[in-house]
Amino acid sequence: MRSRAMSVAGFITVSWCLYSLAHAEIGISLGGVWTVSDDDRGISVPGQVPGSMYTALLDNKVIEDPLYRDNDVKLAWIGNENWTYTRYFNVDNSVWSSQSILLVAEGLDTIATVYINEIKIGRSENMFVRNTFDVKSAVKPGNNSIKVVFESAVGFAAKQAQKIPYTIPPECPSQVQNGQCHVNLIRKEQCSFSWDWGPSFPTQGIWKPIYLVAFNSAVIEDATVDAFQDGNSWNMDVHVFFNVVTSGTVTGQLDIRLNDTNVLVSKNVTLSPSSNDTSITVSIPQSVGIKRWWPNGYGNQSLYDVLITFTADVTKEVSSVQRRIGFRTIELIQKNVSSDPNHGLTFFVRVNGIPIFLKGSNWIPADSFQERITKERLRLLLQSAADAHMNSMRVWGGGVFESEDFYDLADELGILIWQDMMFSVAMYPTTSDFLNSVTQELRYQIRRLMHRPSILLWAGSNENEKALRQNWFGTSSNYTLYYNDFITLYVKTVMAVVQQENPRRQYLSSSPSNGLDSEREGFVAQDPDSELYGDIHFYDYLMNQWKPDNFRIPRMATEYGIQAWCNVRTLQDVFEEADMSYCSAQADHRQHHRGGSVEMSAEILLHLDLPKQGDQQQYFRNYIYLTQINQAMSIKTQSEHYRRYQSKLLPDGRGLTMGALYWQLNDIWQAPTWASIDYSGRWKMLHYYALKFFNPLLVSPVLVGNNLQVHIVADEIPIMEVQDPSTHQLRFEPVTLYSDLVYSEVDRDDVPNLLSKTVHAVEGLLTVEIYSWKKFQPLASWSVSYKLNTTAEVVFERDVNSMLTEAGCKNTECFLFVYINNQIDGTNNWLSFADIKDSSVQKAQIAITDVTQVSEHEFTITLASNSIAPFVWLEAGDTMGRFSDNGFLMMQPKVSVQFYAWQDVDLHSLRSALSVKSVMDIYS
């Protein structure tokens, strides 16, 4: 039931005292050590909960590291077995005498039947739901047993395939993945049956907390908070869901407090099992002075705790939950780009009135075993994303709805989350049982997550609209059947739940999609990858990815990528010395993308030679280095291409590109993948390049025919949307920085913060230089002052041949270097006029001449070189950390970089671990 909106007028407290209430309902955690057993094999070991059978077996030395060599295949038997979790727990009289006792299992993976004292109390077939079982009649005073019997997800999925009267493709993954079949028929982490970047480990286990709750009246089960703006006022829609005793009614008082403010609202409620929810709209007076939440790079991530407390009248039981929220407006803008309807629609995100170019990447599960993912590990990955100026990330639909820790960090760091639902690259069944399970899953997950300011939008699936339309799985033979399934699942089920639970947040039926145009075409567009609508995913592994005019010009790119091997030191954790060879069976085993190794070599050969033959292990190390160069340069080229088009609309309607999220941020194992950070947390060269191509101020040179164009892109300019009344063309213009327009769009408290970051980007001095590969001094130099009118502009353009003539060099002898304001400390970039393999790059003698300690975890490393050197690569051995720059072009005889250690390390140890090379070192 819902109540009318309530103002906080009359409910504002005058006291600033600390407000805290202890829970009066009784909870018993059932986490900790259980017995994990497989009766068929006679295995019984202690195992931690939360956990899985794999880590239980590993901790007890029944198996070795599942990620070691080809253990994913050798240990496949584990996923084919049925595993049982058992333990004993004590129930004292105070618990047993309670009117209601519930068993809450926040996550059972996946096919599970639960028994207490050998009495079956429930079953779950969905990894993504929270199960609540009434166990009052099953528990007894004193000692009790609990047993969770898991059925092999592999076996259960195979049985489901036999029950469905037609094929739901794909039935199995590519053979090279060494995976399992029919994962799309069950509600389980899809990539746990393998993917083209990860192994197959079909886990079973209690993967989230499990506990008992005992009470005599009612307790809060869920609470959602939806902060929104109405005019100049902020409001919160608060919806509270209760577990209520099975007999009679319960009355009590519900209190809503916005911590660190004087906002407090109270409401008397009457609850019963059939009427077990209530809602309140809280209007927050402007005098409270709410501060907005901003994406990374645009302002502060102001967060507020909302404390929701229920006190029962008769029993005086107290139940409370807390939700941390942020106040911001967020819109997905889809409007005509011009008066020509064939030119399509915009597709961009506006936060707090300001259009945001989404700079980011895609997220996959950080481990095959969720219990191994700590908050510290998540912080390393997400902080690395924020450090590279990312303001957004897409949680991919083949993994899991991520942990509270993950979303806490996204909220704190200002990373907008494009949240896929967990459906990916497959068709899915639409049986009543499946749809009912999905509905339960989505209600739980949306209620769990919708209060978070970082959640940007909900997307129904990953690539399933595109897969259906483009006949990836042979569905054209019965297109109507699979189309109807698509509509039943993503529109009639998923969208319906989203619109009911979280109507203010945008829903897209898939990614990629054409957004509103897909809806107009019945949710499956003729071309779901159109450049004129929505978002695209782009992959082409054999084209020249260092040449920007090969790329498309979409409204937004939410996936694009290219493979590279993980760092050598990371690979050594799971390879024997003999495996460290390009031709080894283990190197081949790790490549789960069919043809991937050939594609990487072909891409390298477009620009660089393969390493000098000789020692196989050294060859492999050098080859790994080259794959990382190619990956970094390819994604750099594509990302800069998208950023250059954010303010440009072409005559054919393409342009106004407002997002670049490359595939992918992180790894799930040690292998060749698309990630920019490998499984150990070490940055690959790509992530160092992201520091620059996602920099708020970008200088980007590009060859267009015989012309050199130098673009400057400044995402941090506060911009507004303007409709030209004469042409109806949409354009972006910078807001006059000190005008009232700024203050009408953003909070006054945030404006100085914005201005300090943006004024420097509006105007400056661009210098363009041509260097010989053989000299540290430029052969020719040009300078131009600029003042930006939009967020991306060409500020320098000249004929390349005339520039080379003026410099007195051939294109194979020279390269271009550009910078803003200051050559050493300013924003800079470079461009080779010819492929490196065809250029006169010399072998440089590079040495580490000095290492000094700046602070406990920061060190300065000084390098010296006798020649200009491209792709200078530093490594720190076993010491975990990152450099301020890496994979860079060394332009001076002496340069310094910082090393930020993620662990305690002394100066001597770090100095001994450091090594450096550049690209010509691998050819000698």
Side-chain angles (χ1 to χ4, degrees), residues 53-54 75-83 152-155 202-204:
M53 78 289 204
Y54 286 99
L75 300 177
W77 62 269
I78 298 173
N80 296 327
E81 297 291 314
N82 301 322
W83 296 87
S152 165
V154 178
T203 46
Q204 297 169 43

Side-chain angles (χ1 to χ4, degrees), residues 128 401 441-450 458:
F128 307 122
F401 295 96
E441 164 190 327
L442 295 179
R443 288 198 193 285
Y444 168 58
Q445 295 293 347
I446 292 170
R447 290 175 185 179
R448 182 173 77 93
L449 299 175
M450 62 174 282
W458 307 107

Side-chain angles (χ1 to χ4, degrees), residues 368-648:
S368 294
F369 314 110
Q370 286 286 320
E371 59 271 24
R372 301 208 300 200
I373 305 174
T374 63
K375 188 167 186 178
E376 290 71 25
R377 188 171 169 189
L378 290 173
R379 185 179 296 279
L380 186 154
L381 290 167
L382 293 182
Q383 184 66 59
S384 293
D387 287 348
H389 312 292
M390 295 186 194
N391 57 35
S392 53
M393 189 177 297
R394 179 169 164 260
V395 174
W396 169 75
V400 300
F401 295 96
E402 285 294 331
S403 67
E404 300 297 335
D405 287 341
F406 175 91
Y407 297 104
D408 280 347
L409 290 166
D411 289 344
E412 293 166 12
L413 295 169
I415 299 175
L416 290 165
I417 299 298
W418 176 305
Q419 180 67 57
D420 281 1
M421 303 307 188
M422 294 301 116
F423 305 94
S424 184
V425 197
M427 302 298 102
Y428 285 85
T430 55
T431 63
S432 58
D433 286 347
F434 189 87
L435 295 177
N436 288 338
S437 184
V438 167
T439 298
Q440 181 187 2
E441 164 190 327
L442 295 179
R443 288 198 193 285
Y444 168 58
Q445 295 293 347
I446 292 170
R447 290 175 185 179
R448 182 173 77 93
L449 299 175
M450 62 174 282
H451 65 278
R452 294 186 173 278
S454 59
I455 300 290
L456 165 62
L457 56 77
W458 307 107
S461 72
N462 170 69
E463 299 185 346
N464 291 353
E465 177 187 349
K466 185 177 180 179
L468 175 60
R469 176 58 73 189
Q470 297 181 354
N471 192 34
W472 289 5
F473 310 121
T475 50
S476 62
S477 62
N478 198 343
Y479 177 81
T480 300
L481 171 69
Y482 295 107
Y483 171 79
N484 288 337
D485 281 353
F486 184 96
I487 297 301
T488 297
L489 179 56
Y490 301 113
V491 180
K492 295 180 180 179
T493 304
V494 179
M495 187 172 77
V497 174
V498 171
Q499 289 178 343
Q500 183 179 13
E501 297 289 338
N502 194 197
R504 289 193 182 92
R505 195 171 262 117
Q506 180 72 45
Y507 171 75
L508 300 170
S509 59
S510 190
S511 175
S513 83
N514 289 353
L516 283 177
D517 190 64
S518 281
E519 291 188 30
R520 294 167 185 167
E521 294 190 58
F523 290 92
V524 179
Q526 288 294 322
D527 177 15
D529 251 343
S530 171
E531 294 170 276
L532 304 180
Y533 304 93
D535 64 315
I536 71 164
H537 295 182
F538 179 82
Y539 297 95
D540 187 335
Y541 299 116
L542 296 180
M543 78 174 207
N544 184 347
Q545 299 213 26
W546 297 22
K547 188 176 180 182
D549 56 10
N550 284 333
F551 296 114
R552 306 181 77 203
I553 306 171
R555 300 290 185 238
M556 184 177 292
T558 50
E559 269 196 39
Y560 56 98
I562 195 167
Q563 276 197 327
W565 271 93
C566 63
N567 291 299
V568 172
R569 179 61 192 85
T570 298
L571 193 59
Q572 289 171 335
D573 289 339
V574 291
F575 271 19
E576 294 180 357
E577 188 173 347
D579 299 329
M580 296 294 294
S581 167
Y582 174 82
C583 299
S584 73
Q586 293 302 321
D588 184 61
H589 175 75
R590 291 275 156 164
Q591 177 55 270
H592 276 201
H593 172 58
R594 186 179 296 277
S597 296
V598 173
E599 290 167 356
M600 282 191 292
S601 295
E603 284 283 351
I604 290 169
L605 285 168
L606 289 174
H607 313 286
L608 301 155
D609 292 321
L610 291 175
K612 180 181 178 182
Q613 292 289 342
D615 178 80
Q616 284 298 305
Q617 293 183 9
Q618 187 58 51
Y619 179 93
F620 189 43
R621 291 184 177 91
N622 291 336
Y623 179 79
I624 289 171
Y625 168 59
L626 290 177
T627 68
Q628 290 204 18
I629 291 175
N630 181 61
Q631 182 192 43
M633 288 294 293
S634 297
I635 303 305
K636 170 187 184 294
T637 303
Q638 193 168 175
S639 300
E640 290 187 11
H641 165 78
Y642 294 138
R643 292 190 70 188
R644 287 194 298 267
Y645 274 95
Q646 67 183 264
S647 296
K648 186 175 183 180

Side-chain angles (χ1 to χ4, degrees), residues 353-355 646-647 714-722 731-739 741-742 745 755 758-759 761-763 787-793:
I354 293 181
Q646 67 183 264
S647 296
D715 284 341
E716 300 290 338
I717 297 177
I719 55 179
M720 63 179 293
E721 180 185 343
V722 176
R731 66 182 188 273
F732 300 138
E733 291 188 349
V735 174
T736 303
L737 290 177
Y738 294 97
S739 76
L741 287 172
V742 174
E745 295 289 347
L755 294 180
T758 60
V759 171
V762 177
E763 55 187 273
K787 185 173 184 179
L788 299 184
N789 294 307
T790 64
T791 57
E793 292 185 15

